Amino acid sequence: MWHSSPPGSIYDYIRVASFSIGPDGLVEQWSRRAVDLFGVTAEEARGKDPVEAFMPADLRERGRRRVREILDGKEWTGLVPFRVPGEDRPRGIAEMYVMPSETPSGERAALCIVVDVRALRRIETDLAASQAIFGQSPFGFLLFGTDLTVKRANRRFATVFGGSADDHRGRTVHDYLGRAEADRLTAALRRVLDTGESVTDFEIVGAAPGARDRRHWSVNLYRVHSGSGRPIGVAGLGIDITRRHNTAREAASARRNLALLNEAGARIGNSLDLEATARALLDVAVPGFCDLASVDLYQGLLTGDEAPPGRWGSSHDVGYGAGSAELRRVAFASAVSDAALRTDGGHEPGSGCCGPEHIEVGAVHRYPFNSPCAGALRTGRLRTVPGSGGDLVRSTLVVPMTAHDTVVGLVRFSRTKGSEPFGERDRALAAELAARAAVSIDNARLYRREHERALILQRSLLPPGDPEAAGLDIACRYLPGTAATEVGGDWFDVIELPGHRTALVIGDVMGRGLRAAVAMGELRTAVRTLAQLDLEPAEVLSHLDEIARGLGAPIGAQQSRTHKARGPELSEVYLATCVYAVYDPVTRRCTFANAGHLPPVLVEPGKAAALLDVPPGMPLGVGGEPFEEVEVELPEGALLALYTDGLVESRDHPLDEGLSAFQRALTDPVRPLEDVCDRVLSTLNTGHGEDDIALLMARIQGLPGEAVGDWQLPREPRSVGRARELARAQLGAWGLEGLVDTVELLVSELVTNALRYGEGEIRLRMLRDRTLVCEVWDAGLVQPRRRRAKDTDEGGRGLQLVGLLSSSWGARRTPRGKTVWFELDLPDGEGTAEPTVEQLLSMF
């Protein structure tokens, strides 16, 4: 049987040549390889003396001697320089093996085997290089055959996987790796062997024999060929990159943590709502940092207690025998499917460390006293809790949320099976996330407390219920800003003045928060006080301006000394705008004064709404400029609207558009006033909540002529009796006979005082509305003053009598003198109690 060797054998590399020498010492046969080696054809070589033809001249004698010895039956092996016929210089050195032979006739001959030494040197070099790679390489090296079994392994590989290098021959990758990784590597080997395309940085994971640590290797695969180009296997070079992988993983973890912190800085703390801040924390943490997370806050913090119970180093929280203080679950997030949670027994994942029951969002609960959660709340220190064998959770971080040395709640981060357990770097990140959220939550708590106080203060200073005024139908609305905005300084007021007049006030302190609300309260109180003095509107604003400039707090003493040359300075300047209007229902005239506020809007019957031309003036607190007054006669049925800028100004549109929209919303003033207010608020879309909104509307309803009695009296004694007659007749016309005696007595006292102490003509005016008002006018400027009469005094008891018998009395200046008035309740009202005998006798 003939055997055909596949290409790529050793002979393909060394290319052995042969020729034969006959008994005469001449060449008889010349192989084709000899043609390639010596460059001489068979025709040229046959019949020639090989010594003469191919050896240099200086070696020919020795060569002839060797040929004779060979023909005598000796074998010879040696190195022989050779040349090509026609050339003087040797071409190369051949390693020659000469074996004696015999001809068919029995004569001595020889067979010569020749190898080019250069080919042998190349093979030696290749073998040395191969040995360097296999034997001396610091990396693991394997040579796989075409059947993907190991043909050769180097010492480094055997050092890692045990045994000697020869022990690994015939093994497969399944002997070293787990099934999944072995299948991946086998597929890669097959692909390289089939396609010839190399594979670089092919990462596999496994463990060395007897070791628990998972190692990471980077494998480079390339196909190996024979000298003729035939694939004979796949070479694999493996590098242990476990340290590099761990370093890269730590770097990736650090980058992830930095990204999480950056995201936390951008998202946590954007809201002043406690629950929203907790949800933002979990949105950052899940799933980027953990698989499950929850946030619990102290119930007392959420209900508005001054201080949370979790103070570091205090025993407040320890005193709860049943466990921690009450907490409320405010947020929960999970990257695990609901099915996985249900298969965990229906309990909260990882809850075994702090209580077995699942806690719903919004539920109030306590942690057991000896649980890690309660311990973390008591000590303010983070704790790591490993998961149990049957638990879905692999690791849990219990992190107290601490702000300003006060624990405000607890956050728990959990990782489930399949995720890496928490490391030291993760603990630091968890503490940082919890701390950032805690500061934001504490700020939200402080803001909520201040916001509620400011809101309570602000609402307490607004007029209670529906204000009433003579000759006016009044409706009002107040809308505070949303929880995301601080309380503003908007206010309005309706103040009854003597003579059935009414002061309408609306204002807005610039700024927000509790300080603005306090400043608003001070200004509102000042307005009421000044209104009782019955000052003109411009005078009221002038006094308010002085008060507003005095509301700022002085700066530190040292800074004050630095600025002595410029006088005292204030750390904060309070500015406010205000409109003060006084309406007289008898004349239906209204006097306006404005301190930098938006102008009032007037809607006359049958006309479109218009802005009143009231000089704006400077805001309160600026000072230096006097305020102007404008008197406007308001027709019956007209609609007057005072408002703050929150109604007409928004980020979505400029002020002019808001004012125009407000005027268009008042096009139907005949409707009930409450409906008009509702229409305005709904039309202007005031739900944006950017600022507080105050709206005060009044429909003009002047006192009818039959409700007013007005008489001029000469300055003579008989006017006292005339005044009593006029008062008696007017009361009879009004059906108020039950007040005749009291009114006659008091009118008599006031007219007598006007004759005695006043000047000019005397005017008596009686007004009937919800109460009865009697006024006595004269041109004198001296204001009456009530005093305590002594037992021996014959006079001085008239004003005491007025004060005793009337519900209220007073005096005010007028442009031409003064007016002294008293007021009585109508008989169908509650009335004024009759004076006792002792009270009457005490005046005489």
Side-chain angles (χ1 to χ4, degrees):
M1 179 180 294
W2 292 91
H3 295 274
S4 177
S5 298
S9 65
I10 188 64
Y11 300 105
D12 292 330
Y13 287 98
I14 62 177
R15 302 186 68 80
V16 178
S18 65
F19 64 91
S20 63
I21 301 175
D24 56 0
L26 302 178
V27 176
E28 287 186 347
Q29 295 179 348
W30 190 260
S31 68
R32 292 182 180 179
R33 291 284 179 88
V35 174
D36 295 337
L37 177 62
F38 295 102
V40 178
T41 64
E43 290 77 10
E44 294 173 342
R46 280 194 295 266
K48 288 186 178 181
D49 184 350
V51 175
E52 293 292 334
F54 300 106
M55 294 186 65
D58 57 338
L59 297 177
R60 289 173 184 171
E61 183 60 34
R62 186 185 305 174
R64 293 189 188 96
R65 187 168 57 251
R66 293 296 184 191
V67 170
R68 288 194 298 270
E69 292 176 353
I70 292 170
L71 293 176
D72 288 339
K74 292 184 179 180
E75 294 185 2
W76 180 79
T77 302
L79 297 178
V80 179
F82 68 89
R83 67 182 183 84
V84 176
E87 294 181 1
D88 294 333
R89 298 180 60 186
R91 170 172 289 192
I93 298 176
E95 184 172 282
M96 185 176 296
Y97 177 44
V98 182
M99 298 173 289
S101 63
E102 293 182 356
T103 64
S105 61
E107 294 181 293
R108 297 290 181 92
L111 177 63
C112 301
I113 305 298
V114 183
V115 178
D116 191 347
V117 173
R118 291 175 298 179
L120 294 177
R121 296 294 179 266
R122 284 197 298 270
I123 292 175
E124 290 177 355
T125 303
D126 292 345
L127 289 175
S130 175
Q131 182 61 30
I133 295 175
F134 266 79
Q136 302 174 24
S137 172
F139 309 118
F141 205 105
L142 287 177
L143 179 61
F144 296 92
T146 55
D147 58 353
L148 302 186
T149 61
V150 176
K151 300 302 181 182
R152 189 175 179 185
N154 70 345
R155 186 180 303 170
R156 176 60 181 167
F157 183 87
T159 301
V160 175
F161 287 93
S164 64
D166 292 336
D167 294 337
H168 295 275
R169 295 180 185 272
R171 295 183 180 181
T172 67
V173 294
H174 287 82
D175 295 318
Y176 306 106
L177 302 173
R179 182 173 180 178
E181 290 292 274
D183 289 344
R184 288 180 58 240
L185 183 54
T186 299
L189 288 169
R190 178 63 61 188
R191 186 168 60 253
V192 172
L193 187 62
D194 292 343
T195 64
E197 296 179 359
S198 301
V199 173
T200 58
D201 292 331
F202 184 83
E203 187 172 337
I204 58 176
V205 181
R212 293 184 178 181
D213 296 338
R214 289 163 58 88
R215 310 296 294 178
H216 294 260
W217 291 283
S218 176
V219 179
N220 297 320
L221 303 175
Y222 57 93
R223 192 168 67 180
V224 180
H225 303 85
S226 66
S228 62
R230 178 179 61 88
I232 61 173
V234 178
L237 178 65
I239 304 173
D240 190 337
I241 60 169
T242 304
R243 181 179 298 178
R244 186 177 72 186
H245 181 273
N246 292 339
T247 302
R249 184 177 60 183
E250 291 180 2
S253 176
R255 289 193 298 269
R256 180 202 65 188
N257 292 353
L258 288 175
L260 283 173
L261 287 177
N262 183 59
E263 184 181 3
R267 300 180 64 176
I268 299 176
N270 290 335
S271 171
L272 289 173
D273 181 81
L274 299 174
E275 292 80 359
T277 301
R279 289 193 296 270
L281 169 62
L282 299 193
D283 290 341
V284 171
V286 179
F289 177 67
C290 62
D291 302 315
L292 301 163
S294 62
V295 176
D296 300 313
L297 298 180
Y298 277 116
Q299 177 69 358
L301 180 145
L302 295 170
T303 55
D305 288 353
E306 283 295 316
R311 191 88 179 167
W312 281 17
S314 70
S315 59
H316 193 103
D317 197 37
V318 181
Y320 290 90
S324 66
E326 287 188 340
L327 298 110
R328 185 192 303 173
R329 175 63 49 86
V330 295
F332 174 77
S334 171
V336 182
S337 65
D338 293 340
L341 296 178
R342 287 193 295 270
T343 57
D344 198 46
H347 296 157
E348 179 182 353
S351 62
C353 67
C354 299
E357 299 301 328
H358 177 70
I359 302 171
E360 298 289 344
V361 174
V364 178
H365 64 97
R366 297 177 187 268
Y367 286 116
F369 181 80
N370 293 324
S371 66
C373 293
L377 289 170
R378 286 194 301 272
T379 62
R381 296 179 180 177
L382 181 149
R383 296 195 177 190
T384 303
V385 182
S388 60
D391 198 352
L392 175 68
V393 169
R394 184 177 185 184
S395 179
T396 297
L397 293 179
V398 178
V399 190
M401 305 177 71
T402 306
H404 309 110
D405 293 340
T406 299
V407 179
V408 298
L410 187 78
V411 58
R412 294 194 300 171
F413 304 106
S414 298
R415 287 181 179 174
T416 58
K417 293 180 179 179
S419 299
E420 294 185 359
F422 291 108
E424 192 62 33
R425 193 188 302 273
D426 296 323
R427 289 167 57 92
L429 176 61
E432 178 66 21
L433 290 175
R436 292 193 179 194
V439 171
S440 299
I441 287 175
D442 193 54
N443 290 340
R445 175 183 68 86
L446 297 175
Y447 168 78
R448 175 183 289 184
R449 184 179 65 184
E450 180 174 337
H451 184 272
E452 290 176 351
R453 290 177 176 177
L455 196 58
I456 292 173
L457 174 62
Q458 187 180 45
R459 288 177 173 173
S460 67
L461 296 175
L462 296 175
D466 297 326
E468 296 182 355
L472 293 175
D473 179 17
I474 295 178
C476 54
R477 294 289 188 275
Y478 172 74
L479 298 179
T482 61
T485 59
E486 295 188 73
V487 171
D490 294 14
W491 93 92
F492 65 90
D493 210 344
V494 178
I495 306 172
E496 294 187 40
L497 300 178
H500 285 315
R501 294 171 304 138
T502 302
L504 303 175
V505 188
I506 196 161
D508 185 2
V509 176
M510 299 182 187
R512 311 195 64 78
L514 185 59
R515 296 178 66 84
V518 171
M520 178 270 286
E522 293 179 346
L523 291 178
R524 179 182 181 274
T525 302
V527 169
R528 280 193 161 267
T529 302
L530 295 171
Q532 297 305 318
L533 299 178
D534 210 357
L535 302 177
E536 295 297 324
E539 292 183 82
V540 171
L541 294 186
S542 296
H543 287 293
L544 283 179
D545 180 62
E546 293 291 336
I547 294 172
R549 282 190 286 167
L551 290 180
I555 62 176
Q558 186 171 356
Q559 289 180 326
S560 297
R561 289 194 296 270
T562 306
H563 300 284
K564 280 183 179 179
R566 292 183 292 175
E569 295 191 6
L570 303 177
S571 62
E572 184 173 0
V573 177
Y574 285 94
L575 299 178
T577 62
C578 181
V579 169
Y580 187 87
V582 175
Y583 172 69
D584 188 344
V586 178
T587 61
R588 293 200 313 277
R589 302 189 69 84
C590 189
T591 304
F592 295 90
N594 189 355
H597 201 80
L598 294 173
V601 175
L602 179 65
V603 186
E604 298 185 17
K607 297 182 179 180
L611 299 175
L612 284 178
D613 188 13
V614 179
M618 299 297 292
L620 302 177
V622 175
E625 293 293 332
F627 297 96
E628 300 181 44
E629 292 181 357
V630 172
E631 188 176 61
V632 179
E633 183 173 352
L634 305 178
E636 185 77 16
L639 187 63
L640 179 66
L642 306 178
Y643 53 96
T644 56
D645 56 0
L647 181 67
V648 295
E649 191 173 21
S650 171
R651 299 175 183 175
D652 300 331
H653 55 74
L655 178 61
D656 292 342
E657 291 184 10
L659 288 173
S660 299
F662 179 41
Q663 295 177 66
R664 290 193 298 270
L666 296 173
T667 54
D668 190 10
V670 182
R671 302 174 60 184
L673 204 54
E674 294 291 337
D675 294 346
V676 175
C677 287
D678 293 337
R679 173 184 171 82
V680 168
L681 297 181
S682 61
T683 302
L684 297 185
N685 189 23
T686 55
H688 48 73
E690 295 177 5
D691 196 2
D692 293 354
I693 295 173
L695 175 62
L696 177 61
M697 304 186 73
R699 178 171 282 122
I700 305 304
Q701 298 173 347
L703 287 180
E706 59 271 15
V708 179
D710 195 350
W711 306 277
Q712 297 287 340
L713 299 175
R715 190 171 186 79
E716 53 189 28
R718 64 185 180 90
S719 293
V720 177
R722 177 60 179 164
R724 287 196 295 268
E725 292 176 0
L726 294 172
R728 185 185 310 112
Q730 187 64 63
L731 292 175
W734 287 340
L736 300 177
E737 289 81 359
L739 298 178
V740 169
D741 293 340
T742 302
V743 172
E744 282 188 345
L745 176 61
L746 300 184
V747 166
S748 177
E749 286 292 335
L750 296 185
V751 173
T752 299
N753 286 341
L755 289 173
R756 182 177 298 180
Y757 304 109
E759 299 177 4
E761 287 190 344
I762 299 171
R763 178 183 176 188
L764 172 63
R765 191 170 73 168
M766 299 178 65
L767 308 175
R768 179 183 183 275
D769 191 69
R770 290 176 291 115
T771 60
L772 176 66
V773 174
C774 296
E775 301 174 332
V776 175
W777 305 46
D778 69 78
L781 299 178
V782 179
Q783 296 287 323
R785 183 172 61 87
R786 182 178 177 181
R787 62 185 179 87
R788 182 77 178 180
K790 299 179 181 179
D791 295 343
T792 56
D793 290 344
E794 296 183 357
R797 297 179 177 84
L799 292 181
Q800 290 186 9
L801 185 64
V802 173
L804 181 64
L805 297 180
S806 65
S807 59
S808 61
W809 77 279
R812 69 177 186 273
R813 292 183 300 171
T814 63
R816 297 181 180 180
K818 68 175 180 299
T819 299
V820 183
W821 56 271
F822 66 86
E823 186 174 3
L824 295 174
D825 293 327
L826 299 182
D828 56 352
E830 295 181 359
T832 303
E834 292 293 332
T836 63
V837 176
E838 289 76 7
Q839 290 175 326
L840 292 175
L841 291 178
S842 66
M843 294 185 295
F844 297 95

